[in-house]
Amino acid sequence: MSIQSPAAGWFKAPSGSERVWIGIAMAWCIVMTIAMPYWLFFGKQNSTGEAYRVTPADFAARVGTFVESHKVGELQGVPIVEPAPGGDAYLLARMWQWFPVLKLRKGQTYRVHISSMDLQHGFSLQPLNMNFQVLPTYDHVLTLTPTSAGEFTIVCNEFCGIGHHLMTGRILVEE
Ligand SMILES: [Cu+2]
C-alpha cells in the first residue's frame, strides 16, 4: 500500500517500442514456462529424486568406509577414491570442502550419494552446469553416467559462509 494515492489519470497505456518490449518479455515468459515441464520429461540431466534420511554421523561413517576401501591416491591432501563401476560412490559436503575426489570411468553408471555435514550447500558440476541442492540429513542419490573424460570441478553455489568461495571439489573421469 502506498502512502499517497497516485493522481487521477496516472496510467498511460504503453505505446510504440514499449509495447514491443512487453511483447518480447511476454513471449520469453511463455517459452520459459514451457521449457520447465519439457525438461522434466525430456531432459537427460534430471535427478530421479531418489533420497533417504540419514544422520550426518551415519553418512560420515559411510564416506569413511568408502574412502578406506576404494582409495587410489591423493590430490592436495584430499583422497582420490575410485568406486566400482555400477557401484555406490559417496560425496560429502561441509564447510568448506567436497570430500573426497571421485575418480570415475567414462560410460559406467554410478550411484553417487550426496549429503551435507552441516548446512545447505549447492552441488554445481562445471563446466556442464548440473546443479543439485545438498542438504544435511538427506542422502540424495544421483544416478550418474559420465559421457566424456576429463577433469570436472564441483563448486558450491549456495552461500555457506566465509569460506564459500573456496569450496571446490573434483570429479576425474577416465576413458
Ligand atoms: Cu557450500
Side-chain angles (χ1 to χ4, degrees):
M1 205 161 96
S2 59
I3 297 167
Q4 290 173 324
S5 302
W10 64 273
F11 182 78
K12 293 180 184 64
S15 62
S17 61
E18 197 178 5
R19 288 177 72 97
V20 175
W21 284 111
I22 291 170
I24 291 169
M26 190 67 190
W28 189 242
C29 286
I30 292 166
V31 169
M32 296 300 277
T33 303
I34 293 166
M36 284 189 282
Y38 174 84
W39 199 251
L40 177 67
F41 292 109
F42 300 105
K44 293 197 172 80
Q45 297 180 344
N46 293 321
S47 163
T48 57
E50 184 182 351
Y52 305 95
R53 279 262 169 216
V54 67
T55 64
D58 281 349
F59 193 81
R62 289 175 209 174
V63 174
T65 307
F66 170 66
V67 172
E68 264 170 44
S69 54
H70 292 91
K71 184 177 169 182
V72 293
E74 216 166 87
L75 183 74
Q76 291 158 358
V78 181
I80 302 172
V81 187
E82 186 173 2
D88 291 284
Y90 292 85
L91 184 67
L92 176 159
R94 64 183 162 214
M95 294 187 281
W96 292 282
Q97 187 188 41
W98 297 98
F99 182 90
V101 172
L102 297 178
K103 188 176 169 185
L104 309 176
R105 300 224 166 251
K106 184 183 158 185
Q108 300 288 345
T109 298
Y110 301 87
R111 285 165 49 79
V112 183
H113 298 252
I114 306 179
S115 192
S116 166
M117 288 299 100
D118 34 50
L119 38 74
Q120 183 173 7
H121 297 283
F123 172 96
S124 183
L125 189 65
Q126 299 299 332
L128 302 171
N129 199 26
M130 290 171 69
N131 300 282
F132 300 98
Q133 293 291 339
V134 183
L135 300 158
T137 75
Y138 190 85
D139 173 7
H140 188 179
V141 186
L142 293 179
T143 306
L144 195 142
T145 310
T147 54
S148 56
E151 196 174 311
F152 299 88
T153 303
I154 308 164
V155 300
C156 182
N157 66 359
E158 194 68 52
F159 183 72
C160 58
I162 195 81
H164 167 67
H165 62 293
L166 302 170
M167 191 169 164
T168 57
R170 286 274 185 282
I171 293 181
L172 312 172
V173 180
E174 293 205 331
E175 287 286 344

